[in-house]
Amino acid sequence: MKANLFKSIVVVIVLVFTNCTEKVNEVAITESNRPNIILFVADDHGTDALGAYGNPVIKTPNLDELAIEGTKFTNAYCTSASCAASRSVILSGKFGHATGSYGHVHDYHHFSTYDNVKSLPVLLENDGYETARIGKYHVAPEKVYHFKTVLQADPRNTVEMAEQCGDVLNSEKPFFLYFCTDDPHRGQPFEPDPWNAPNNFGNKVEGYKGVETITYDPEDVLVPSFLPDTKESRAEIAQYYQSISRIDQGFGKLMKMLQDSGKADNTIVIYISDNGMAFPGAKTTVYEPGIKLPCIIKDPTNPVKGITNNAMISWVDLTPTILDMAKVSYDEKDFHGKSFKNIIAENKPKGWNEIYASHTFHEITMYYPMRVVRMDNYKLIWNIAWRLEYPFASDLWASSTWQGIYRKDMEYFGPKKVNDFLFRPEFELYDLDEDPEESNNLAADKDFKEVLAVMKTKLRAFQTNTSDPWNIMWGHDTSLQGTGVNL
């Protein structure tokens, strides 16, 4: 009987050991099949300055190659054209009005995300990913947006930044690398001397180590239609281009290192910007140049290359999409966005014809809440504080592009009157197919009364569904205001 008992114990031990071994192997197989993910985020880069998006002047060969090898989205939007507010959405999958991320984090602005928000890097790390960031952070608190590894480099030198990422690229675990440049954000000092000198956009006469200085003649640059075609605008755009060419070189360096690591075939690469170019009429606005941005995604497992995708996607969709790519399970109700992983390889996917935007602050002194819905070709902007003069970001006010108009007391800034730029109606309704410049407001046009009503209904439903405190402005509904008492 003892012999039989001993045999039974041996059999149990073998079965347990075999089962554990199989589970270990299952984990190993699962980990090996999970992709690495690089999210490369530029600072204030619009679709106006990329070869892949139709600019024949600017030199961005590495980013153009990414578009050739992957998918280029032509209707990708941030939700707020302000750095910190936009980045909180990228990493949380929720609109800033629902997380407390109303505007800038740094200095006296001090907007910060609620402690109970579960961010993308935390969710990935909890599921076995190595998470690392380098460059611009601009979100808070750190415990909400925690990365396991923080790398240091000059955020204006993307080549140097790439060189610091070697250990991450060679990680034994699947990795998520959040690579954020300071380029092409305007550089300090914001106030030029003399006033009509162009901002440097981070460019230096002596250049940066390991980076070829690529300059542009102001006469050759393309002036976007929403800007005045002036000497000041052209000089600043030339500096902006130079900064972007520096981004491109660092991106190319990172891709070369990825290839050398042997992991390029299992790494998804995403290139985006946090908001549009740092010029009046783009950054801090919800007009198309401020929120319609580059988005290029290369998934090496996708056999179809060079796709142009017209789906309307938003940065609020990025967190669920990346979690989906990483095979991390999640509850769709935890996010305001939805995964677009399954439509990346398509040209004209159905059901992706609507996006929303929500801007409240940039700097704390720039209170001007705006809410946006775009559906098909129509776009509605609700300027909630429309009785106020439109506030300027400090760097945009000081820009020679704006000062060249302001100091001369000129009537027009680009195609719009200066007065119309500063004082806006409560509602702006545009047909973007007929009016891509957003210059013909249809909100008061009787022929578009029904369209306006539909868009208002959608906007209000969006605010309700995303717990927007500014929903109170429709009818003084105080349901989100709470008791005012800490229990």
Side-chain angles (χ1 to χ4, degrees), residues 65-81:
E65 182 65 23
L66 185 71
I68 292 171
E69 296 177 349
T71 297
K72 175 183 68 178
F73 284 88
T74 55
N75 284 303
Y77 288 83
C78 68
T79 65
S80 178

Side-chain angles (χ1 to χ4, degrees), residues 230-392:
T230 61
K231 179 181 178 181
E232 290 82 13
S233 292
R234 286 183 169 275
E236 291 211 297
I237 293 171
Q239 294 291 321
Y240 167 64
Y241 280 14
Q242 181 177 334
S243 187
I244 292 167
S245 284
R246 188 163 56 252
I247 292 176
D248 186 77
Q249 291 181 59
F251 180 81
K253 175 69 175 180
L254 186 66
M255 293 301 98
K256 177 64 166 57
M257 291 173 62
L258 178 64
Q259 192 68 45
D260 292 344
S261 73
K263 296 187 177 181
D265 291 340
N266 191 37
T267 302
I268 296 170
V269 180
I270 304 170
Y271 180 86
I272 63 170
S273 172
D274 58 356
N275 50 250
M277 66 190 301
F279 284 75
K283 183 178 180 178
T284 77
T285 79
V286 290
Y287 295 128
E288 295 292 282
I291 62 175
K292 189 175 182 179
L293 302 175
C295 179
I296 308 172
I297 299 177
K298 178 186 176 183
D299 181 351
T301 65
N302 176 22
V304 185
K305 311 297 181 185
I307 300 166
T308 297
N309 191 318
N310 74 348
M312 291 186 196
I313 62 171
S314 164
W315 288 180
V316 79
D317 299 320
L318 284 170
T319 283
T321 299
I322 291 173
L323 291 174
D324 209 2
M325 291 171 167
K327 303 176 184 178
V328 176
S329 60
Y330 62 91
D331 188 338
E332 294 180 0
K333 296 179 182 178
D334 289 341
F335 306 109
H336 295 149
K338 59 181 179 178
S339 172
F340 56 83
K341 173 182 176 291
N342 293 334
I343 57 104
I344 291 176
E346 299 182 32
N347 296 108
K348 299 178 180 179
K350 295 181 179 179
W352 292 84
N353 64 334
E354 195 168 295
I355 61 97
Y356 295 84
S358 172
H359 181 102
T360 305
F361 287 90
H362 180 64
E363 299 159 11
I364 197 171
T365 50
M366 292 178 61
Y367 176 76
Y368 202 85
M370 299 171 284
R371 300 296 183 262
V372 177
V373 55
R374 180 181 173 188
M375 181 183 66
D376 297 323
N377 56 306
Y378 289 109
K379 177 179 177 181
L380 177 66
I381 300 172
W382 182 25
N383 297 309
I384 299 173
W386 60 282
R387 293 177 179 84
L388 299 177
E389 179 176 336
Y390 190 81
F392 264 85

Side-chain angles (χ1 to χ4, degrees), residues 1-12:
M1 183 164 178
K2 289 183 178 179
N4 290 335
L5 179 61
F6 177 76
K7 287 180 180 179
S8 298
I9 292 173
V10 170
V11 169
V12 170

Side-chain angles (χ1 to χ4, degrees), residues 13-31:
I13 292 173
V14 170
L15 289 173
V16 170
F17 179 78
T18 301
N19 188 46
C20 289
T21 303
E22 288 176 352
K23 286 187 176 181
V24 169
N25 287 338
E26 286 176 10
V27 171
I29 291 171
T30 301
E31 292 296 320

